[in-house]
Amino acid sequence: MVKSKKKKETHYTRVHITPSSLTILLHIYSLLFFIFRRHFPSHTISSATHFSNPNCVYIMAIFTTIGANALFLLIAIVPLALSIGHDYGAALSKSILFFEAQRSGYLPGNQRIKWRGNSGLLDGKASGVDLVGGYYDAGDNVKFGLPMAFTVTMMSWSILEYGSQMASSGELGHAMDAVKWGTDYLIKAHPEPHVLYGEVGDGNTDHYCWQRPEDMTTSRGAYRIDQNNPGSDLAGETAAAMAAASIVFRRANPAYSRELLSHAHQLFDFADKYRGKYDSSISVAQKYYRSVSGYADELLWAAAWLYKATSEPFYLDYLGENGDALGGTGWAMTEFGWDVKYAGVQTLVSMFLMGGKGGHHSPVFGKYQDKAEMFMCSCMGKSYHNVQKTPGGLIFRQRWNNLQFVTSASFLLTVYSDHLTAARKDLHCPSGSVAPSELLAFAKSQIDYILGDNPRATSYMVGYGNHFPQQVHHRGSSIVSIKVDPSFVSCRGGYATWFSRKASDPNLLTGAIVGGPDAYDNFADQRDNYEQTEPATYNNAPLLGVLARLHGGHAAQHNQLLPVEVPLHKPIAVQPKHVSPYAAPIEINQKATTSWASNGRTYYRYSAIVTNKSRRTIKNFNLTVSKLYGPLWGLTKTTSGSYGFPAWVSSLPAGKSIEFVYIHSAPFADVSVSSYTLA
């Protein structure tokens, strides 16, 4: 809703425009339109203008009074338009705030999420251990040790790389508090050198109920690993978290830092000496956080963090001597997250090597770096095996909580970009060299997508922007606060009253990154759509570092987005369109995938599939797209005005297809092949 403003007198100025300056003004207008649209919800794009006289432009003082018979440019806000972007500082603040909504235990006096209350106050009591505290992992009320430890590791790494940027925005203290809330619990969960509690609560009984954490009546059983029931992946990740956090607190709290480091040493020894997968010992975790990758990556990951924290040669030797056996030099991954750590450890070891710390292990560390760079290249679309991307350009790994992989990959790309810059090196990919600035620019494009620069104009961070998920799959946010209505919410009653409620959440889960869109940029804001609307702590943890980096004033150039729209007098019936280009080997099929009405006009989202019908690979591909009056995603615009492959695609093999999408309030754009070569 837009607040009404006092009407002011508007003055107009007539300006003569040359053809060359007209092009510049078109770009400025595109940016202005993008700014305007981002302040309104998705699917409520207001009407824009067209030229009635190409040699004249009327410049108005109020952008929202743009008429339909002339292009109005607001000179007063042109400087703003040239520098406007996402408010990464605000996004950083919100993303840290999310962790306060996930707290379990006795909440502190400085708790900023006021709708939460104390919860899980008897955790561990039945097992004779104090396990009060820590974080709920996602939208449920279970405390899972493996993703919690990874969350702490990534928050710590974010601070270690970009703490100065966090400090300049006033968020370093909050970020360190978020880390300490996690490590305080992990210390409790490690009461003996070879004992570690890896879960409190049972996912099966928890998911049977829909209750606030403050009301939960589900099982709070505690599950552990020990010498007879090992879990090297869980112990290794917890060792990494303790080691990384020890560096964070080294100056601010030396005694606490030493305590964390002591736990890290013990946990690494436990993980390495008594090997096994944790979900074989804590079988209740298998349905929710199965360790598919095993424990080898966590052993290397823990060793890398312990070396970073201590500089002890033992851990450097461990990485050098076990790199081949444990897969650090062999696995080239296209994902990084709470389960698969190889890309992370390979990035860390690459940093050691570029920092001159490889020593006699440099040849082995070079192999680690080769695999790290294969990960970076795959994200950039310049490797032999590239990550999948949506038509809107988002990294896509899986439908269920895909954004966890986007934020973690964006973090590695950002960090590696900075360390390449410091080493004065480029990234070398099978398809050519990539400058560090290109890595950062791509990471920025992923974050911008999350914050709203996407085909739906939807922010996938709750509370950021004007259109974000309203029905989050989250027990605490979806049920009225216990401070507003202390009436008990029963196990099944919560489903009947709150889960099935088709309305916005009563409590705003500020800063939460939800699961996100599917492979085609589609998203359904529905509470029962847990694959897309459930948040998780490990979605946010890597994001802290990237947001701090971008807020530090190093943002890359703006994305090419919204060109001018033309007005329509009536809605158009849209039928699928088959394009038969002059180039027979290439087939183009378009269809309208959705439509919506706004201010008496109908807008369409079109999908275009380009298929290579030949028996050879297509390269140097260019399309001409005319009669396009809105944004287009999934192709790269060339300097000549045509469109080529997106940045992550260098060729189109026989029988393969690519998709691009666009939105405007007109019939199908005219799409034709202008040039290509057959390899």
Side-chain angles (χ1 to χ4, degrees):
M1 181 178 294
V2 180
K3 296 181 179 178
S4 61
K5 297 182 179 179
K6 183 178 179 180
K7 188 175 182 179
K8 297 181 180 179
E9 182 180 0
T10 304
H11 300 275
Y12 302 92
T13 303
R14 187 177 180 89
V15 181
H16 181 74
I17 301 176
T18 65
S20 60
S21 61
L22 180 62
T23 301
I24 297 173
L25 288 173
L26 276 170
H27 285 291
I28 296 173
Y29 180 77
S30 300
L31 185 55
L32 288 173
F33 185 83
F34 171 53
I35 295 166
F36 180 78
R37 193 188 76 161
R38 278 198 27 218
H39 289 282
F40 289 86
S42 175
H43 300 181
T44 57
I45 305 174
S46 65
S47 59
T49 63
H50 69 284
F51 289 109
S52 59
N53 183 345
N55 293 317
C56 298
V57 173
Y58 289 96
I59 302 172
M60 301 183 67
I62 301 177
F63 180 66
T64 55
T65 60
I66 296 175
N69 297 316
L71 172 64
F72 295 108
L73 289 176
L74 179 54
I75 292 297
I77 66 170
V78 165
L80 175 63
L82 293 176
S83 61
I84 195 94
H86 284 290
D87 189 343
Y88 299 116
L92 173 63
S93 299
K94 293 176 187 293
S95 64
I96 296 173
L97 197 58
F98 166 65
F99 291 98
E100 296 193 18
Q102 297 301 106
R103 285 173 170 172
S104 180
Y106 291 97
L107 301 185
N110 62 355
Q111 171 82 7
R112 294 177 294 166
I113 299 295
K114 299 300 183 182
W115 49 266
R116 278 297 320 282
N118 298 333
S119 63
L121 303 184
L122 299 179
D123 284 357
K125 185 175 182 180
S127 301
V129 63
D130 176 10
L131 295 176
V132 176
Y135 289 112
Y136 303 118
D137 70 306
D140 51 31
N141 300 325
V142 183
K143 295 189 293 197
F144 292 99
L146 183 60
M148 191 193 306
F150 178 71
T151 294
V152 170
T153 306
M154 294 309 297
M155 284 196 291
S156 298
W157 197 359
S158 291
I159 293 171
L160 295 178
E161 296 290 340
Y162 304 115
S164 60
Q165 288 92 330
M166 293 182 189
S168 66
S169 63
E171 292 297 336
L172 180 58
H174 292 140
M176 292 176 68
D177 287 345
V179 171
K180 192 171 186 296
W181 192 269
T183 51
D184 283 350
Y185 171 81
L186 295 178
I187 289 172
K188 291 181 177 182
H190 184 224
E192 302 174 34
H194 294 163
V195 173
L196 176 64
Y197 284 85
E199 182 174 332
V200 177
D202 174 7
N204 294 326
T205 59
D206 181 89
H207 286 201
Y208 180 76
C209 299
W210 194 263
Q211 290 177 289
R212 296 176 295 214
E214 298 84 358
D215 284 331
M216 59 183 168
T217 56
T218 52
S219 168
R220 302 304 291 171
Y223 303 87
R224 68 183 231 177
I225 57 173
D226 53 36
Q227 293 176 199
N228 297 319
N229 303 280
S232 301
D233 31 22
L234 174 62
E237 179 58 68
T238 309
M242 298 285 208
S246 76
I247 311 173
V248 170
F249 294 102
R250 182 173 292 162
R251 293 184 180 180
N253 193 339
Y256 188 67
S257 174
R258 289 192 295 272
E259 182 181 10
L260 291 171
L261 200 54
S262 175
H263 282 280
H265 284 300
Q266 291 178 0
L267 284 163
F268 179 80
D269 178 73
F270 175 32
D272 192 38
K273 186 176 295 184
Y274 301 97
R275 295 189 179 186
K277 285 179 57 180
Y278 95 102
D279 56 16
S280 297
S281 300
I282 304 178
S283 59
V284 293
Q286 290 181 3
K287 186 176 177 180
Y288 305 97
Y289 289 100
R290 179 187 293 272
S291 181
V292 177
S293 69
Y295 56 79
D297 50 339
E298 277 87 5
L299 290 175
L300 295 173
W301 178 242
W305 277 110
L306 276 160
Y307 175 71
K308 189 171 178 64
T310 65
S311 297
E312 292 181 13
F314 170 81
Y315 296 107
L316 197 70
D317 292 341
Y318 189 95
L319 290 165
E321 294 166 4
N322 293 280
D324 292 340
L326 296 178
T329 62
W331 285 106
M333 307 306 299
T334 56
E335 67 175 271
F336 171 56
W338 61 263
D339 181 21
V340 185
K341 313 290 169 41
Y342 282 114
V345 69
Q346 288 158 356
T347 300
L348 278 174
V349 173
S350 299
M351 290 161 51
F352 300 157
L353 184 62
M354 289 189 286
K357 298 178 180 179
H360 67 281
H361 296 300
S362 292
V364 176
F365 286 1
K367 295 180 182 179
Y368 277 93
Q369 186 169 25
D370 289 342
K371 297 302 184 291
E373 298 207 338
M374 288 185 72
F375 173 83
M376 309 297 167
C377 293
S378 72
C379 291
M380 299 298 294
K382 293 182 176 294
S383 186
Y384 299 114
H385 179 55
N386 297 318
V387 300
Q388 181 183 348
K389 295 187 178 71
T390 70
L394 182 72
I395 290 173
F396 187 81
R397 179 77 178 93
Q398 64 185 36
R399 178 179 170 84
W400 191 338
N401 191 15
N402 180 66
L403 288 185
Q404 62 175 303
F405 302 108
V406 178
T407 59
S408 58
S410 297
F411 179 84
L412 292 186
L413 288 162
T414 300
V415 169
Y416 202 66
S417 167
D418 287 338
H419 285 269
L420 281 178
T421 299
R424 298 184 178 182
K425 294 183 178 180
D426 287 342
L427 172 67
H428 299 291
C429 298
S431 297
S433 295
V434 179
S437 59
E438 294 180 69
L439 290 176
L440 183 61
F442 179 72
K444 177 183 180 295
S445 75
Q446 299 299 292
I447 303 308
D448 288 347
Y449 184 110
I450 292 173
L451 297 180
D453 290 357
N454 56 64
R456 288 180 49 86
T458 295
S459 167
Y460 294 107
M461 175 185 284
V462 177
Y464 181 89
N466 289 304
H467 181 56
F468 50 81
Q470 301 292 320
Q471 296 187 33
V472 182
H473 185 91
H474 188 277
R475 287 159 174 76
S477 67
S478 67
I479 302 174
V480 65
S481 171
I482 196 169
K483 297 181 180 180
V484 174
D485 184 356
S487 301
F488 177 73
V489 177
S490 68
C491 169
R492 301 303 291 175
Y495 272 111
T497 304
W498 296 103
F499 179 80
S500 60
R501 180 172 171 264
K502 304 302 181 184
S504 299
D505 295 335
N507 308 308
L508 188 66
L509 194 63
T510 302
I513 300 296
V514 298
D518 66 12
Y520 302 99
D521 302 298
N522 297 312
F523 178 81
D525 186 9
Q526 298 167 353
R527 195 167 293 114
D528 60 355
N529 181 19
Y530 55 87
E531 292 183 336
Q532 293 189 313
T533 63
E534 186 172 18
T537 56
Y538 44 87
N539 295 9
N540 280 60
L543 187 64
L544 305 188
V546 189
L547 289 172
R549 175 67 168 88
L550 295 176
H551 181 58
H554 303 283
Q557 61 186 0
H558 294 288
N559 292 339
Q560 168 205 319
L561 284 175
L562 295 159
V564 183
E565 281 194 36
V566 297
L568 291 180
H569 297 293
K570 60 181 179 180
I572 299 172
V574 177
Q575 299 295 328
K577 181 180 182 180
H578 173 74
V579 178
S580 297
Y582 79 88
I586 300 176
E587 181 180 85
I588 304 172
N589 286 289
Q590 300 190 63
K591 65 179 180 179
T593 58
T594 189
S595 64
W596 60 93
S598 176
N599 298 330
R601 305 174 69 193
T602 302
Y603 294 85
Y604 301 91
R605 179 183 185 271
Y606 296 100
S607 166
I609 306 293
V610 180
T611 304
N612 179 3
K613 306 294 287 186
S614 75
R615 297 182 179 180
R616 297 163 63 185
T617 298
I618 292 176
K619 293 188 173 182
N620 303 319
F621 164 82
N622 276 283
L623 287 178
T624 297
V625 183
S626 59
K627 297 182 181 179
L628 174 65
Y629 309 109
L632 182 150
W633 292 270
L635 296 176
T636 300
K637 194 168 187 178
T638 67
T639 55
S640 65
S642 64
Y643 291 86
F645 286 130
W648 55 91
V649 175
S650 59
S651 63
L652 189 61
K656 299 296 183 179
S657 301
I658 60 171
E659 180 186 25
F660 65 91
V661 298
Y662 59 93
I663 296 172
H664 67 186
S665 55
F668 291 103
D670 288 341
V671 181
S672 60
V673 178
S674 56
S675 65
Y676 69 95
T677 58
L678 292 175

